[in-house]
Amino acid sequence: MRAAPTILHLDMDAFFAAAEQASKPSLRGKPVIVGGLGPRGVVATASYEARRFGVHSAMPMGQARRLAPNAAYLVPRFAFYRSISEQVMELLRGLSPLVEPLSLDEAFVDLEAGGVADDSASARAAGERLRVDILATTGLTGSVGLAGSKMIAKIASEEAKPDGLVLIEPGTERELLGPRSVRILPGVGPATGEHLRRAGMTSVSDLVEAGEDELVRLLGRAHGAALHRMAQGYDDRRVVAERDAKSVSVEDTFDVDLHDRVRIRLEVERLAERCVGRLRASGHSGRTIVLKVRRYDFSTLTRSETLRGPTDDPAVVREAAGRLLEAVDTTGGVRLLGVGVSGLADYTQEDLFAQAEASERPAEEEAASEEAEAAPSTATETAERGWAPGHDVRHAVHGAGWVQGSGVGRVTVRFEEPWSGPGRVRTFSVDDPELEPSEPLPLVRGATMA
């Protein structure tokens, strides 16, 4: 625990939705919801305007549409968000060598390690300067929390939302936490919160009064002891610059349950190929292959197989995932499949001990696999390969724009740029030779995307 509030937590405000509003003038001030648009899609981010209707992240998209039927519903543009995130992270690294990213839009920064703050005044100045720099660089806003520990800094940034800064002085943690709900503490989700409520503990001060022994009795040694420490405001975790990846995985949710065993096998192989692509892009190999299957009744099964050495060979991962599938009953139908690799290493052991078959698949199986690749199973993938709502386009005559919607052979485009006013809407044939997908424009005029 630090004597000065030199740990900073940055959380970008409604990041995906805010990026979409910044790039599309006609959506500013209006409810925007980003996520999977299929029947089983979920909300990734909702703008603050959409949250007023009760929409929030992780909500089923069908429920969001009922709550906010007139909102703009857009497919995520992850490459675009990642490029903005890289700009933000570069600004954070300018403050300190110790930057711990938690996601694309969230990170901890050790200001003391960067020599930019050693007391409350200098920490606040650094935080305010960061917010100004983020707005100038990306056109977006972020909320900043400053405190003497990571837990309290994160709580402070949540209180600062949207577009604010909250500094919590070290030594005031217990006073701050006491009257709050137990849900404010890390690791206390709905189930644990309900368990504590039944035991008569609803506020953080209740946890302190109950004592460590009682929390250990209720929650177990590790969780109970840790929760008692956090309830007293104690958190001595350091900001860690490198967070090693523990696994790489991909998964798909299907709009219609899959029953055909051959189709399921082909989907698993396709996921294995994508997983290996991510594995190689991260510069890793792995020893443990993991298969995830969510069945028609929402029951989820996980199966794994550990090889004798790490690999990034797609054939090895594909065959291992296929063997794992053989042990799973898919009779009633499958709604989600996932393939992952864990036990990561920075090297690859040649396939001397791998248990995969070395023989090539029959030609007709290869053709079937290619056909499955060409017929994607998720709503997001389908949109990405066509005219996805929210994605960028360029017309030879009308210039830059974005897709408002498509169907029955037509695509509707609004032509506007981040620095223009709301633009005009036009409709074209989906095969119009003058209309083509394009790269996103920077949010700040004259800037370049990372």
Side-chain angles (χ1 to χ4, degrees), residues 269-349:
E269 293 181 351
R270 182 175 63 83
L271 288 165
E273 298 279 354
R274 284 172 51 196
C275 182
V276 170
R278 289 190 180 182
L279 188 69
R280 288 180 167 178
S282 71
H284 291 95
S285 60
R287 293 186 62 202
T288 301
I289 314 304
V290 181
L291 176 70
K292 177 179 176 182
V293 179
R294 181 165 296 151
R295 298 187 290 190
Y296 68 98
D297 59 356
F298 285 88
S299 61
T300 302
L301 302 177
T302 303
R303 299 288 184 269
S304 64
E305 175 181 317
T306 299
L307 307 175
R308 294 181 63 182
T311 184
D312 64 354
D313 186 332
V316 174
V317 177
R318 187 174 60 236
E319 294 298 336
R323 283 194 301 276
L324 294 170
L325 178 64
E326 294 303 317
V328 177
D329 179 12
T330 60
T331 305
V334 170
R335 60 183 288 119
L336 177 147
L337 289 168
V339 173
V341 178
S342 61
L344 302 189
D346 294 329
Y347 67 97
T348 300
Q349 178 169 310

Side-chain angles (χ1 to χ4, degrees), residues 14-72:
F15 184 47
F16 296 172
E20 297 297 347
Q21 289 177 314
S23 67
K24 302 171 174 62
S26 58
L27 297 184
R28 293 170 191 168
K30 298 179 180 178
V32 173
I33 298 169
V34 179
L37 303 188
R40 291 175 176 167
V42 297
V43 176
T45 306
S47 69
Y48 286 100
E49 295 84 358
R51 295 179 192 187
R52 298 191 187 107
F53 293 91
V55 180
H56 56 77
S57 60
M59 173 182 284
M61 191 60 76
Q63 183 180 355
R65 288 185 183 277
R66 290 190 293 273
L67 292 172
N70 297 320

Side-chain angles (χ1 to χ4, degrees), residues 357-381:
E357 298 177 4
S359 58
E360 295 183 356
R361 290 181 294 173
E364 61 268 22
E365 189 177 339
E366 291 282 5
S369 179
E370 292 174 5
E371 183 177 348
E373 242 348 297
S377 56
T378 67
T380 297
E381 286 184 321

Side-chain angles (χ1 to χ4, degrees), residues 360-426:
E360 295 183 356
R361 290 181 294 173
E364 61 268 22
E365 189 177 339
E366 291 282 5
S369 179
E370 292 174 5
E371 183 177 348
E373 242 348 297
S377 56
T378 67
T380 297
E381 286 184 321
T382 302
E384 287 176 350
R385 297 176 189 220
W387 298 104
H391 280 215
D392 299 274
V393 296
R394 179 168 291 276
H395 191 274
V397 176
H398 303 290
W402 57 277
V403 176
Q404 282 200 324
S406 63
V408 295
R410 310 291 286 176
V411 55
T412 299
V413 177
R414 183 181 288 274
F415 291 98
E416 59 187 7
E417 298 174 337
W419 42 83
S420 72
R424 299 186 63 181
V425 175
R426 296 181 181 274

Side-chain angles (χ1 to χ4, degrees), residues 212 215-230:
E212 182 176 341
L215 293 179
V216 167
R217 187 186 69 80
L218 287 171
L219 305 174
R221 169 60 57 186
H223 195 184
L227 193 60
H228 188 253
R229 285 163 60 87
M230 289 188 294

Side-chain angles (χ1 to χ4, degrees), residues 177-227:
L177 293 172
R180 307 298 182 89
S181 165
V182 295
R183 292 289 305 278
I184 200 172
L185 299 178
V188 181
T192 301
E194 176 60 20
H195 190 53
L196 292 170
R197 186 194 67 79
R198 290 199 300 268
M201 305 176 203
T202 57
S203 69
V204 175
S205 61
D206 292 336
L207 302 180
V208 176
E209 292 171 8
E212 182 176 341
D213 290 344
E214 177 64 10
L215 293 179
V216 167
R217 187 186 69 80
L218 287 171
L219 305 174
R221 169 60 57 186
H223 195 184
L227 193 60

